[in-house]
Amino acid sequence: MRRVSIFGSTGSIGANTVALLREHAREHEVVALTGGRNVALLAEQARALQAQIAVTADAERLPELRAALAGSGIAAAGGRTALLEAADRPADWIMSAIVGAAGLEPGFRALRHGGTLALANKESLVAAGPLLLAEAARHGATILPVDSEHSAVFQALVGERLDTVERVIITASGGPFRDWPAERLAHATVAQAMAHPNWDMGARISIDSASLFNKALELIETREFFGIAPDRIEVLVHPQSIVHALVGFNDGALMAHLGPADMRHAIGYALNWPLRRSTPVERLDLARIARLDFTAPDPERFPALRLAHEVMQLRGTSGAAFNAAKETALDAFIDGRIGFTQMAQLVERTLFGLDADGALRATPQSLEDVRATDHLARAKAEEFIGTPERDGVALRNEQG
Ligand code: NDP
């Protein structure tokens, strides 16, 4: 019996993980499931998997969770402290699938058990990559990537030596605005940004895919996880989302990973690693798909990728600042306070503002340093949202 916990079980990745676990329920002892606002689904999942404890990060929803679990014998808890305590419960395999910087600390704490951390929460590596990897090494824990591109790179590297890798290419669908002209992008709405052409994902990552901020996070994630130099990591726009990543070796070979746009593949790979096991995803019919297209991304319309390269050069705490500014910009876009293209402007202003203040270049020594930068970047970004036009960067709502 393997002890398993899922952080963010009520989300898109979390629910897919629950579905895969239910197929082999007798092999797993479910320790903790955590969610946020969706306590009805959390309770249902906890009952179905007979979890020891269900935790809602939203303390106000604890009475509702308790009521939904009444008579089940499953413990219920609520709030941030309870969430972190759930990470302290020993488990052998932990899925980190909370969205945003909120997912960093639970995953970090779970590494202390020395088991496997299946990492969907890419923000953890962006904000605190070196700290996270060092913590895993300290406790003999294994981190497995769940992001589809990184799972693809990981799979292409099985049996290979990292010093023979010349380059890594991660693909991007290009999102719903792939072919939109720049003028139209400024007026893109939240609903349009959420309508991802290929993947069914949570709302926030869907919007990040439309702006290519998701790909920007993934560039940094590739750099941190695999230790590949930034100038050896490329992004290719590939509208079909069939090839997820390619690894180029020093003999000229390119190893590509192909699969359906279904996260159950990458989750299942992390669940069954180092073995493979039959997973209920569509089998590709390449004759029907017939063609695979690749183009270079447009840095003018999608500046997020350029910003990611700035972060990879700066290092220090710039990843934490980048992610926090991006999350603040995303909230402001969702709330209608800024327009779609202003998200990148806001992140850029925040990064360069903080760097000018000398706040980004020191290497973080602890999660406390990462948290401090995160708070600083959110405050700075909010301050810029409140500032009308300055330095040629207008931050007013251009939507509609
Ligand atoms: P969702 O928005 O669908 O789910 C997020 C989960 O986190 C939910 O369980 C949510 O609870 C919970 N949550 C939200 N805010 C908090 C908080 N402050 N504290 C604790 N829990 C919280 O996200 P996704 O499943 O799409 O993504 C999860 C992570 O995986 C992200 O980091 C994303 O970038 C990454 N990822 C996702 C992919 C996908 O296909 N979806 C692909 C690759 C990576 P509730 O819903 O109950 O409020």
Side-chain angles (χ1 to χ4, degrees):
M1 290 285 266
R2 188 160 61 154
R3 296 167 302 175
V4 166
S5 289
I6 307 174
F7 289 83
S9 68
T10 53
S12 166
I13 293 286
N16 275 318
T17 310
V18 168
L20 288 176
L21 282 178
R22 287 184 76 166
E23 297 209 344
H24 305 287
R26 268 177 291 175
E27 297 169 17
H28 300 103
E29 180 186 334
V30 176
V31 178
L33 297 181
T34 85
R37 284 182 284 192
N38 196 347
V39 291
L41 178 59
L42 179 61
E44 188 188 311
Q45 292 174 331
R47 282 179 181 271
L49 292 175
Q50 283 302 300
Q52 290 171 13
I53 186 168
V55 182
T56 164
D58 184 348
E60 286 183 10
R61 291 175 199 247
L62 179 56
E64 203 186 320
L65 180 63
R66 279 211 181 100
L69 288 172
S72 67
I74 299 166
R80 182 78 186 162
T81 305
L83 183 74
L84 297 178
E85 283 168 4
D88 293 339
R89 291 185 172 231
D92 307 303
W93 190 92
I94 298 113
M95 168 57 79
S96 167
I98 290 173
V99 65
L104 169 60
E105 206 169 338
F108 196 86
R109 284 169 83 132
L111 288 172
R112 293 180 194 154
H113 310 307
T116 299
L117 183 71
L119 191 63
N121 179 273
K122 59 191 84 186
E123 297 88 347
S124 295
L125 279 170
V126 172
L131 290 173
L132 200 73
L133 297 184
E135 189 71 0
R138 189 171 305 130
H139 299 286
T142 303
I143 302 180
L144 294 176
V146 173
D147 223 343
S148 58
E149 296 76 5
H150 305 77
S151 174
V153 173
F154 190 85
Q155 293 180 51
L157 285 173
V158 169
E160 306 287 354
R161 287 173 46 146
L162 266 181
D163 61 3
T164 63
V165 173
E166 271 183 357
R167 59 182 174 147
V168 167
I169 304 169
I170 57 174
T171 61
S173 71
F177 306 145
R178 189 180 64 234
D179 301 319
W180 283 33
E183 318 77 70
R184 200 176 161 205
L185 276 181
H187 304 285
T189 66
V190 171
Q192 288 168 329
M194 274 174 56
H196 197 281
N198 303 342
W199 293 93
D200 180 14
M201 307 183 287
R204 298 181 73 85
I205 183 175
S206 297
I207 301 173
D208 283 349
S209 296
S211 60
L212 291 204
F213 264 113
N214 180 48
K215 212 48 58 181
L217 296 177
E218 289 176 8
L219 273 174
I220 303 169
E221 187 184 1
T222 307
R223 196 254 170 274
E224 297 298 342
F225 190 83
F226 298 103
I228 309 274
D231 60 351
R232 291 169 183 259
I233 313 171
E234 300 165 28
V235 172
L236 262 188
V237 174
H238 167 49
Q240 291 91 354
S241 296
I242 299 288
V243 177
H244 302 301
L246 305 99
V247 178
F249 293 94
N250 58 4
D251 58 356
L254 261 184
M255 299 291 282
H257 176 283
L258 284 73
D262 186 332
M263 286 309 296
R264 288 176 300 175
H265 166 72
I267 298 167
Y269 185 81
L271 192 57
N272 298 312
W273 180 86
L275 304 175
R276 287 188 189 269
R277 192 173 203 179
S278 179
T279 305
V281 298
E282 181 198 342
R283 271 40 176 178
L284 292 179
D285 178 349
L286 288 177
R288 190 178 55 76
I289 293 164
R291 57 182 281 180
L292 301 171
D293 298 297
F294 301 97
T295 52
D298 176 357
E300 297 301 321
R301 287 182 304 137
F302 299 104
L305 300 180
R306 175 176 53 79
L307 295 176
H309 276 280
E310 305 273 5
V311 167
M312 290 191 286
Q313 296 301 337
L314 272 173
R315 304 215 73 194
T317 53
S318 64
F322 178 70
N323 182 61
K326 193 278 299 171
E327 289 189 22
T328 309
L330 180 58
D331 286 334
F333 173 63
I334 292 171
D335 297 345
R337 289 187 289 148
I338 63 173
F340 182 77
T341 47
Q342 290 171 318
M343 287 193 283
Q345 294 169 359
L346 180 58
V347 172
E348 182 159 18
R349 272 184 92 179
T350 305
L351 270 183
F352 291 112
L354 289 175
D355 192 35
D357 295 344
L360 297 185
R361 296 189 186 229
T363 304
Q365 304 299 324
S366 64
L367 280 197
E368 197 43 60
D369 292 346
V370 172
R371 268 194 295 267
T373 305
D374 178 290
H375 291 154
L376 205 59
R378 284 175 204 268
K380 191 87 166 172
E382 282 295 343
E383 190 185 306
F384 282 144
I385 294 171
T387 317
E389 202 163 329
R390 212 168 74 189
D391 308 326
V393 180
L395 288 172
R396 60 176 178 268
N397 184 9
E398 288 182 8
Q399 276 188 61

